[in-house]
Amino acid sequence: MDIAPMTKRDKILLYAVLMLAFIVLYVRFLLIPGIGSLQQARADLTEAQDAQITMQETILQAGVNAADKNTAWGELQTANARYYSILTSDELDTLVTGLELNHSMQPVSLSIGQPLTQSMTGYIAGTQAGQSPAPAGSAAAAVTADQVDTTAAGNALLQQFLAADLVPSYDQPGYLQTSDVTFSCSGEASNFLSLLDDLADNYPSIQLQNFSITTRSFAAADGTSSSGSIYNVTLRVVLCDKGGVQP
């Protein structure tokens, strides 16, 4: 069978079909993948630019962060200076006796308990649950009337410092040691009130647990009988391992 020669119309139609096929193949296998690659490249570029900006901001912030760290460390050292490291019995004796003598009180007796290690979390919860109990008796109540606010303020200050700054390092993190000190002294009631005020305002690492007042009789220099007050006080001294606090 003879093949008829292609007419001009057939040639135009064949050319159109070939061009259409070329366009379809170009769009399908070249243009669409190219657009996808371009979009991915733009996304990668945006991500890289964001990462670069973040890194530059971090580098610029490094100096500020270092300054903030030094400032925080200085504040910690300032707060830390108001607390006692692990003290011996003799050092606790000197601390408490010195406090009495500074307020013209005469030491009568002193008892120092063994240091106890306890959890800081439980310790803070316990101090928040209740403050030092008030002693019984109308005379004692009169003495403690202006001590409630100052003692509570001192305890609140202690809790703030302990919770925020002082996390000592013992066998496990978050532990501290305390030692109970019980002493008796004699002297004027005004001097004893001054001692309690000083304790609440300037000794955040010493907590007043309780105190009571008793009366005793003694012979005066002229041979007559006289009486005076004995103040029985229990303190809790917080002992921190300052070496465990690092910048």
Side-chain angles (χ1 to χ4, degrees), residues 46-98:
T46 301
E47 182 178 355
Q49 290 174 338
D50 292 340
Q52 181 183 14
I53 292 173
T54 302
M55 186 175 297
Q56 290 174 342
E57 292 176 349
T58 302
I59 294 173
L60 293 175
Q61 193 69 19
V64 177
N65 292 339
D68 290 344
K69 179 181 178 181
N70 291 335
T71 300
W73 176 240
E75 293 175 351
L76 173 59
Q77 293 299 90
T78 300
N80 205 12
R82 304 184 69 186
Y83 290 82
Y84 302 108
S85 58
I86 308 302
L87 301 178
T88 65
S89 295
D90 290 342
E91 290 171 329
L92 283 171
D93 185 347
T94 301
L95 173 67
V96 175
T97 303

Side-chain angles (χ1 to χ4, degrees), residues 18-33:
L18 292 175
M19 289 300 297
L20 179 61
F22 174 79
I23 293 173
V24 170
L25 294 175
Y26 174 78
V27 172
R28 173 64 181 83
F29 294 103
L30 294 178
L31 185 60
I32 293 178

Side-chain angles (χ1 to χ4, degrees), residues 215-237:
T215 302
R216 69 171 181 175
S217 299
F218 58 92
D222 58 2
T224 60
S225 178
S226 184
S227 63
S229 297
I230 297 294
Y231 305 93
N232 307 298
V233 183
T234 299
L235 303 176
R236 177 160 295 166
V237 184

Side-chain angles (χ1 to χ4, degrees), residues 6 13 20 43 51 56 77 83 96 98 127 135-136 162-163 174 187 203 210 215 221 241 246:
M6 294 180 64
L13 182 60
L20 179 61
Q56 290 174 342
Q77 293 299 90
Y83 290 82
V96 175
T127 54
L162 285 176
Y203 293 85
N210 57 67
T215 302
D241 180 9
Q246 300 296 330

Side-chain angles (χ1 to χ4, degrees), residues 117-239:
T117 302
Q118 56 184 299
S119 166
M120 182 176 294
T121 303
Y123 173 78
I124 294 176
T127 54
Q128 291 174 340
Q131 302 297 339
S132 302
S138 57
V143 173
T144 61
D146 67 5
Q147 298 304 317
V148 175
D149 290 340
T150 55
T151 301
N155 287 340
L157 181 63
L158 172 64
Q159 295 165 18
Q160 176 184 353
F161 277 125
L162 285 176
D165 295 323
L166 298 178
V167 182
S169 175
Y170 294 100
D171 293 339
Q172 299 181 44
Y175 279 73
L176 53 83
Q177 286 188 337
T178 61
S179 179
D180 287 350
V181 179
T182 301
F183 69 91
S184 298
C185 59
S186 62
E188 298 294 331
S190 59
N191 291 337
F192 182 66
L193 288 176
S194 176
L195 184 151
L196 294 183
D197 285 334
D198 185 21
L199 191 67
D201 294 338
N202 301 310
Y203 293 85
S205 58
I206 301 179
Q207 289 183 309
L208 174 64
Q209 296 300 294
N210 57 67
F211 70 86
S212 62
I213 303 174
T214 58
T215 302
R216 69 171 181 175
S217 299
F218 58 92
D222 58 2
T224 60
S225 178
S226 184
S227 63
S229 297
I230 297 294
Y231 305 93
N232 307 298
V233 183
T234 299
L235 303 176
R236 177 160 295 166
V237 184
V238 180
L239 307 175

